[in-house]
Amino acid sequence: MSVELEDWSAARIAAAVNAGRLKAEEVAAEAFARIRRTDSKVKAFLSLMEEEALACARGVDARVASGRPAGRLAGVPVAVKDNILVEGQPATCGSKILEGFKAPYDAAVVERLRAEGAVIVGKTNLDEFAMGSSTEHSAFFPTRNPWDLERVPGGSSGGSAAAVAARMVPLALGSDTGGSIRQPAAFCGVAGLKPTYGRVSRYGLVAFASSLDQIGPLGLTVEDCALALSVIAGHDPKDSTCSKRPMELDLDFLEEGVRGMKIGLPKEYFIEGLAPEVEKGVQAAIKVFEKLGMQIQDVSLPHTSYGVATYYVIAPSEASANLARFDGVRYGFSTNRRGAPAAATRDLLEDYLKSRGGGFGSEVKRRIMLGTHALSSGYYEAYYGKAQRVRTLLVREFEEVFKQVDAILTPTAPTPAFRLGEKEGDPLQMYLGDVFTIPCNMAGHCGISLPCPGEGLPVGAQLMGKPFCERELLKIARNYEKEAPWKPRKPAMA
Amino acid sequence: MALSEKEIEHVAILARLEISAAEKTRFGKELGQILDYVEKIKGLDTSRVDPTASVLGDEDVFREDAVRLFPGAAALLDNAPDKEGPFFKVKKVVE
């Protein structure tokens, strides 16, 4: 195997393919060989598209052979979370209710990846409709953590994080509504970026909570995440919330120094109940930033403890409205399917009730019910109205802190990966695990989870940056990556 | 406090979800626990803040109200559980 493949970095693969030192088809074949070797244990993928991927890779090779530019992700195998549309492929969202559905078009991010020569290899597992923190809520099967197969990979982008950690693909896309990219990245020991709300088009992402959802990359390195962001970011007229602010495409800024820049440590994130190995990992990360000549200072985000409660009003409310489209009429699981016994249901209402009742899993039903209750007559102002006001308090306190510092450093999650089944039957306990990642979605700014130096199960440090300041955030993260006394660690099974 | 069976039935109908007897009990208890936890936001003084409408702070977005052809219409209809011609088909809704 070539040096470039051993490295398995998106930036290096693309450079080698563009230079003609490596064939995209060879890289794609290698990705599928790796998937065949490890995915029977990890179960990161819900579906694969080997034939299409190899054909796409040959197209990239043909472009290189004819001297045309093959793109900044030429030949890079990419896994896509199964709530993002890839034309002609399933998009189950980890749910039975999208059984048999074939995506009629490419999501904007997928279109942009393809335009830069990326090779989509398959769709990754997730908690049903991205609702969960463990990937155990997939209607199909749970994904396992490559570091310890008895543990969860985190969620909801658990399949994407596990596929990258197990070295099946160098890069994957996830979506993040309350931590669904950053928390699995932390649990699996990879980097995961949630861009600023509005930085990346959501066209073709199945909506969960529209004011919080954002697509982002997971990779082995910050450099690869930055490269992926530079490809997928930017205005899209098909998503009215997608910002027109320009995104600089060159990545030279990543190598600039960060001496004198300020990092804030919010005391509300270093609380009792933090697992000792998380505390230790984040402290080791802080040492790296100090070594880089950055100034570390204490800051305060006093409303942090209200984040989870606010989120569990706003996100389910938006979900209850968004998921109304799964009605058994236009796609997926339905009691109204042609050829079903005519007497099975009496009327349209019964088709709605039975199609949705039979198609959605428990966690999704629980959140739809919660959101419907919060939005229902007599409760709206007390729950949704109040939560949106509290959200304003959260937005404002981040604005204040970002006047004092360039970035905020926290643990990504209070614990390392937990065991499968450990939090089953206690939804509230599962929700509380999102305490450190939720505020970033509520306030809309960007955040990245970086692997902490250390042994044993991976631990993540979350670095949050100002809205639309991904350049500064990634520059700090890249400096950390180069300075950290560790290379991306590899699970024994990969 | 757990939501009563009657409250859960009301919400389930609003949400167009058929749920089993076991789910009624379970959701009643679980939603109650989550709502008890959510109660903590009610103690915060928010009298001087507006509800968040957009975290971006960007201006309103307008576009021309013009018809554009969507090339994937046939693929959309192919996903339909039941259809007739270019239409989704449902049970009769008017007498």
Side-chain angles (χ1 to χ4, degrees), chain A residues 338 345 366 386 389 392, chain B residues 30 44 49-50 83 91:
Chain A
R338 182 185 289 259
T345 48
R366 180 157 45 236
K386 182 75 185 182
R389 285 175 200 275
T392 304
Chain B
E30 289 170 348
L44 275 173
V49 289
D50 288 329
K83 59 178 173 177
K91 290 198 171 67

Side-chain angles (χ1 to χ4, degrees), chain B residues 41-87:
Chain B
I41 63 172
K42 295 194 176 162
L44 275 173
D45 178 9
T46 52
S47 56
R48 270 170 293 186
V49 289
D50 288 329
T52 296
S54 159
V55 289
L56 280 178
D58 281 7
E59 59 218 68
D60 288 334
V61 179
F62 295 97
R63 65 167 171 81
E64 282 303 306
D65 184 16
V67 177
R68 272 168 303 174
L69 223 55
F70 175 67
L76 283 184
L77 274 165
D78 284 344
N79 279 312
D82 200 3
K83 59 178 173 177
E84 197 169 305
F87 302 105

Side-chain angles (χ1 to χ4, degrees), chain A residues 43-101:
Chain A
K43 308 199 63 81
F45 283 92
L46 285 171
S47 58
L48 293 169
M49 36 193 288
E50 186 160 1
E51 225 172 278
E52 295 90 336
L54 290 172
C56 172
R58 282 192 289 272
V60 171
D61 289 332
R63 272 201 286 188
V64 175
S66 70
R68 283 172 293 161
R72 288 180 300 129
L73 287 173
V76 175
V78 180
V80 176
K81 189 178 181 179
D82 208 22
N83 59 350
I84 297 171
L85 305 190
V86 176
E87 189 178 344
Q89 298 299 316
T92 65
C93 292
S95 180
K96 223 178 92 178
I97 208 161
L98 275 165
E99 198 171 67
F101 176 77

Side-chain angles (χ1 to χ4, degrees), chain A residues 13 96 156 196 218 242 257 276 327 339 369 434 438 468 476 493:
Chain A
I13 290 172
K96 223 178 92 178
S156 66
T196 306
L218 296 101
C242 190
D327 56 5
M369 300 269 294
D434 301 335
I438 279 174
F468 296 105
I476 299 169
M493 60 102 47

Side-chain angles (χ1 to χ4, degrees), chain A residues 100-105 196-198 203 211 240-241 243-245 303 305-306 308-310 312-313 328-332 334-338 342 345-349 351-354 356-358 360 362 365-366 368-370 372-373 376 379 382-383 385-393 395-396 425-428 431-432 441-444 468, chain B residues 3 5 7-20 23-24 26-63 68-85 87-93 95:
Chain A
F101 176 77
K102 289 267 192 297
Y105 56 88
T196 306
Y197 182 80
Y203 181 73
S211 77
S240 67
T241 64
S243 176
K244 287 188 174 142
R245 288 166 218 241
H303 292 102
S305 67
Y306 295 96
V308 174
T310 313
Y312 278 96
V313 174
V329 171
R330 288 165 291 171
Y331 26 65
S334 177
T335 50
N336 185 46
R337 191 158 287 283
R338 182 185 289 259
T345 48
R346 286 182 311 269
D347 53 19
L348 183 59
L349 177 62
D351 275 327
Y352 287 155
L353 291 168
K354 287 195 190 306
R356 290 165 60 78
F360 288 131
S362 304
K365 283 188 202 172
R366 180 157 45 236
I368 292 175
M369 300 269 294
L370 190 57
T372 305
H373 178 70
S376 65
Y379 294 99
Y383 287 118
K386 182 75 185 182
Q388 289 288 45
R389 285 175 200 275
V390 177
R391 185 174 183 182
T392 304
L393 296 176
V395 172
R396 283 190 187 169
D426 193 347
L428 189 56
Y431 298 171
L432 289 172
N441 301 80
M442 298 297 257
F468 296 105
Chain B
L3 263 67
E5 196 165 302
E7 285 173 303
I8 287 289
E9 279 170 7
H10 172 66
V11 174
I13 282 286
L14 288 178
R16 299 289 186 265
L17 283 173
E18 186 178 80
I19 56 172
S20 66
E23 280 177 319
K24 263 180 223 172
R26 200 172 116 209
F27 288 153
K29 188 175 137 254
E30 289 170 348
L31 261 55
Q33 280 169 355
I34 298 163
L35 291 171
D36 285 347
Y37 178 75
V38 163
E39 282 295 311
K40 69 189 282 183
I41 63 172
K42 295 194 176 162
L44 275 173
D45 178 9
T46 52
S47 56
R48 270 170 293 186
V49 289
D50 288 329
T52 296
S54 159
V55 289
L56 280 178
D58 281 7
E59 59 218 68
D60 288 334
V61 179
F62 295 97
R63 65 167 171 81
R68 272 168 303 174
L69 223 55
F70 175 67
L76 283 184
L77 274 165
D78 284 344
N79 279 312
D82 200 3
K83 59 178 173 177
E84 197 169 305
F87 302 105
F88 296 108
K89 195 173 169 185
V90 295
K91 290 198 171 67
K92 196 171 153 186
V93 286
E95 291 306 318

